[in-house]
Amino acid sequence: MNRSSDDDVLGLVASRQATTRAALARQTGLAPSTITGIVNRLLLNGLLEEGGDTASTGGRPGSILLPANSRERALVVELGAHRARFGLADRGGRVSHVNRFDIDIAEGPTTILRTLVERGEELAERSGTEISGYGIALPGPVDPQTGTVVGPSRMPGWNGCTVPEAMREWSELPVVVENDARIGASGESAYRRATSGAPSALGDYIYVKAGSGIGGAFVENGAPRRGAHGLAGDVTHVPVPAGGDRPCQCGNTGCLDTIASAESIRRELRAQGLALPSNDALIETALDGSAQVVTMIRSAGVNLGIALSHTVSFLAPDAVIIGGTLSAVDAFVGGVRQSLHERCLQSVMEHTAVEKSLAGTDSALWGLAEATSVFLNARGAHA
Ligand SMILES: [Zn+2]
């Protein structure tokens, strides 16, 4: 071992020319066992850090190596109608410092995006880190090529807004923008990989985010299908018989959204004389065992299953993963499962697991962390 091989390895990692042990062995011409020895010494001396696993090398996954002492983080934010969840993501695609604040999405992009940049700066200062970019998940259709919001029904004032452009008023840093359900679908796999250390075994799956609204995505070969202009994955505006002639925000009537979203469940309960002030209160009342609330949430799950049944029959996915706030109530997931088993062929359902999301309400943040780690690592090359 000599210092010049150590410097060679550090140089290759810092310039991102080689970030795994296998790549270092190829690039330096040194034996793999020699590289392992050098890397172990550099890790021990705090000159290198280990990041997430490589996903796209085709071979056995290996740890990504990073130059040490990186304070760079991406601010990852999921915007809802009334709330923003946010946290910091590191180069290895891990999420930390998750917190939330109340918003009103109807205040429009200027106010909301400015608030988000301010919150990010506060969080970076508190945690001794530095914001190097942003990942933003939105509760409406997003064209992922441009980051433009396309005809959202729940985001007044946002239609046509190209979010990375709007962000430039406050920040020149890179910005990733995606639909919340689609990035949540990727996040479910990223979370399972990060917590189990193994590749996600989900196969091809449908992911549904059920909260104040309902969004979905189909993940095939590890990638969510985006569809034309990023519009794939709509389940909330699928008409269901129980929706009757209830008017929907999209202009149609009888959409799933009118009876199965957390907001419409609360509206229905209010009509029955039970007023709950927030979606959190709805979930808490269900978890406290209120039969009236649990029955209503189960019925929402049944209707979600009805809306999904054609898609499940057509695609025969390996799994249907239910995320979002409503997934905290087992009866909701049970309702979806019941409907799908009643409506789809047994031969299909034998191979389709209907499960609750493991990443829960953090799945979008994990998906954004995976997406932003790309530019954090690219920046590392010039650090
Ligand atoms: Zn609708």
Side-chain angles (χ1 to χ4, degrees):
M1 309 297 157
N2 57 54
R3 274 212 36 93
S4 76
S5 348
D6 285 15
D7 287 345
D8 287 349
V9 165
L10 281 174
L12 286 166
V13 171
S15 63
R16 313 304 293 165
Q17 291 178 66
T19 56
T20 62
R21 290 165 179 79
L24 285 166
R26 272 200 305 277
Q27 294 258 358
T28 57
L30 295 171
S33 59
T34 309
I35 287 296
T36 300
I38 294 172
V39 166
N40 286 348
R41 187 169 58 249
L42 293 170
L43 286 169
L44 205 65
N45 292 336
L47 296 166
L48 283 183
E49 283 176 7
E50 269 183 296
D53 288 336
T54 57
S56 56
T57 51
R60 211 168 41 151
S63 275
I64 292 179
L65 299 164
L66 310 166
N69 299 324
S70 164
R71 293 166 61 240
E72 299 194 329
R73 298 287 183 277
L75 182 76
V76 287
V77 189
E78 180 183 22
L79 297 176
H82 306 297
R83 175 180 306 159
R85 276 182 85 74
F86 67 115
L88 296 175
D90 67 16
R91 291 194 202 171
R94 287 164 304 217
V95 179
S96 66
H97 296 80
V98 175
N99 211 326
R100 62 193 210 182
F101 57 95
D102 290 338
I103 58 166
D104 178 2
I105 197 91
E107 286 186 318
T110 305
T111 305
I112 301 282
L113 296 176
R114 188 183 57 226
T115 308
L116 176 161
V117 170
E118 286 167 2
R119 292 286 182 145
E121 281 164 7
E122 284 164 23
L123 181 57
E125 201 174 313
R126 261 204 322 278
S127 58
T129 55
E130 187 187 314
I131 302 296
S132 304
Y134 297 90
I136 304 172
L138 298 170
V142 174
D143 185 333
Q145 299 303 322
T146 57
T148 304
V149 182
V150 187
S153 61
R154 289 175 166 273
M155 300 173 66
W158 289 74
N159 188 27
C161 171
T162 300
V163 176
E165 231 165 68
M167 280 288 283
R168 245 168 256 144
E169 191 172 333
W170 298 282
S171 167
E172 290 293 321
L173 295 170
V175 182
V176 172
V177 183
E178 251 295 11
N179 166 264
D180 56 358
R182 198 153 50 220
I183 201 73
S186 305
E188 184 68 20
S189 291
Y191 176 83
R192 289 179 187 226
R193 271 198 307 277
T195 48
S196 74
S200 163
L202 283 170
D204 294 342
Y205 60 98
I206 290 170
Y207 173 87
V208 176
K209 184 200 168 191
S212 38
I214 304 170
F218 178 54
V219 178
E220 191 179 29
N221 298 322
R225 306 286 306 203
R226 295 196 158 97
H229 307 289
L231 289 165
D234 172 50
V235 59
T236 209
H237 300 293
V238 170
V240 286
D245 55 5
R246 287 176 177 78
C248 180
Q249 301 180 65
C250 73
N252 288 342
T253 53
C255 296
L256 178 68
D257 195 70
T258 64
I259 48 166
S261 67
E263 308 238 321
S264 56
I265 294 170
R266 274 172 42 207
R267 196 166 48 236
E268 210 67 20
L269 286 167
R270 204 158 43 236
Q272 293 180 6
L274 177 63
L276 296 166
S278 65
N279 293 343
D280 281 349
L282 172 73
I283 302 300
E284 279 160 26
T285 312
L287 295 178
D288 280 347
S290 157
Q292 183 188 10
V293 175
V294 170
T295 303
M296 188 75 81
I297 291 181
R298 182 177 182 87
S299 144
V302 166
N303 281 303
L304 171 58
I306 291 171
L308 287 173
S309 59
H310 299 83
T311 313
V312 168
S313 293
F314 192 78
L315 296 173
D318 295 296
V320 176
I321 305 294
I322 310 296
T325 46
L326 285 170
S327 71
V329 181
D330 287 341
F332 183 73
V333 181
V336 178
R337 191 181 294 119
Q338 178 197 325
S339 267
L340 289 175
H341 279 271
E342 281 170 7
R343 275 152 217 278
C344 301
L345 286 177
Q346 197 193 340
S347 50
V348 169
M349 291 312 295
E350 262 171 24
H351 305 288
T352 302
V354 181
E355 286 177 25
K356 176 162 140 171
S357 155
L358 298 183
T361 42
D362 285 345
S363 58
L365 299 186
W366 280 88
L368 289 169
E370 185 179 55
T372 52
S373 71
V374 174
F375 62 65
L376 285 183
N377 286 316
R379 272 178 68 90
H382 312 292

